[in-house]
Amino acid sequence: MVQIQTFVFNPFSENTYLLSDETGEAIIIDPGCYDQAEYKELTDHIAANNLTPLKIINTHAHIDHVLGIAALKRKYNIPFYLHRLDEPVLKAVKSYASNYGFAVFDEPEIDHYLVEGESVTFGNTTLKVIFVPGHAPGHVAFVNDEQKFVIGGDVLFHLSIGRTDLPGGDHATLLSSIRTQLFTLPDEYQVFPGHMQSTTIGFEKKHNPFFR
């Protein structure tokens, strides 16, 4: 059974997810930890629960989702996965990080390019990669059919959707991604987004104002 631990990091209140199962193996998704206290909160939890991180996988590469990757890669000697279309988004971070008050950005090397339809595994758990561009050009989400959940990044939120005014964003593309990739999932699937509280596919199909 997958355990989903949420950490809220950095001034953007970004949701970093740590997924683990009964084997003790784990995966880190969108690590946004920036300062030492946030880094320690995540790594202390991993140590206290005797977890073994195997990889870092990202939904996309905006600054608030990538701040902790390089340090965690070094600590655990694990690979970093990102969709190829978001590589330019990652490489742009260092050019604007200081504008948001981040004095230093340690750019991580990408070890594996995520591909739509592939599976990412840890322990006894499988996450399916789906392609959901619109907020970012290479945005993906991770679906677990066994426990009926989606780690969705900044695509679909509780009563909202991701912003599309950043470079590479496109409003029509985002709406299409949600309709064709997320709203085709069963209503009971829980969505764990990149910010704010979780929601469900069924609730958003019924109540999200962008789809009235």
Side-chain angles (χ1 to χ4, degrees):
M1 182 150 201
V2 183
Q3 303 295 319
I4 303 174
Q5 185 71 31
T6 308
F7 301 85
V8 181
F9 288 146
N10 69 58
F12 293 94
S13 296
E14 181 265 353
N15 291 333
T16 292
Y17 293 103
L18 176 69
L19 275 56
S20 60
D21 68 13
E22 62 278 359
T23 68
E25 293 186 350
I27 199 165
I28 304 168
I29 303 180
D30 290 358
C33 45
Y34 180 68
D35 62 29
Q36 191 58 37
E38 292 178 343
Y39 176 78
K40 188 174 186 297
E41 180 184 354
L42 176 57
T43 56
D44 281 358
H45 179 90
I46 290 170
N49 289 275
N50 297 311
L51 300 178
T52 303
L54 295 186
K55 58 199 77 167
I56 299 165
I57 62 175
N58 264 54
T59 60
H60 66 298
H62 286 147
I63 187 169
D64 48 330
H65 292 254
V66 301
L67 292 165
I69 296 171
L72 292 166
K73 277 192 67 175
R74 285 192 296 270
K75 179 173 179 62
Y76 298 112
N77 191 28
I78 55 177
F80 166 49
Y81 290 25
L82 184 72
H83 194 283
R84 186 182 294 273
L85 290 178
D86 245 42
E87 185 170 15
V89 179
L90 176 67
K91 291 193 172 302
V93 172
K94 59 181 176 291
S95 69
Y96 67 80
S98 61
N99 297 340
Y100 289 98
F102 301 106
V104 177
F105 175 64
D106 191 359
E107 183 181 308
E109 181 180 349
I110 302 167
D111 300 291
H112 174 82
Y113 291 111
L114 290 165
V115 177
E116 179 180 14
E118 78 170 295
S119 295
V120 178
T121 61
F122 63 96
N124 298 321
T125 303
T126 298
L127 302 176
K128 180 175 64 180
V129 178
I130 60 173
F131 185 51
V132 283
H135 174 70
H139 203 303
V140 298
F142 305 107
V143 180
N144 179 271
D145 291 315
E146 185 178 14
Q147 285 183 225
K148 302 181 182 351
F149 69 81
V150 184
I151 307 295
D154 291 356
V155 174
L156 181 66
F157 297 116
H158 176 71
L159 297 176
S160 190
I161 61 173
R163 61 188 294 184
T164 55
D165 58 337
L166 299 171
D170 184 82
H171 186 75
T173 299
L174 180 63
L175 294 180
S176 177
S177 291
I178 295 170
R179 287 193 181 100
T180 62
Q181 300 301 315
L182 294 181
F183 281 178
T184 51
L185 295 170
D187 286 356
E188 66 268 25
Y189 274 49
Q190 190 168 8
V191 180
F192 293 91
H195 304 268
M196 303 184 292
Q197 73 266 42
S198 64
T199 185
T200 66
I201 295 295
F203 180 87
E204 297 309 319
K205 284 167 67 174
K206 185 174 182 179
H207 299 290
N208 194 298
F210 289 91
F211 297 93
R212 290 278 171 82

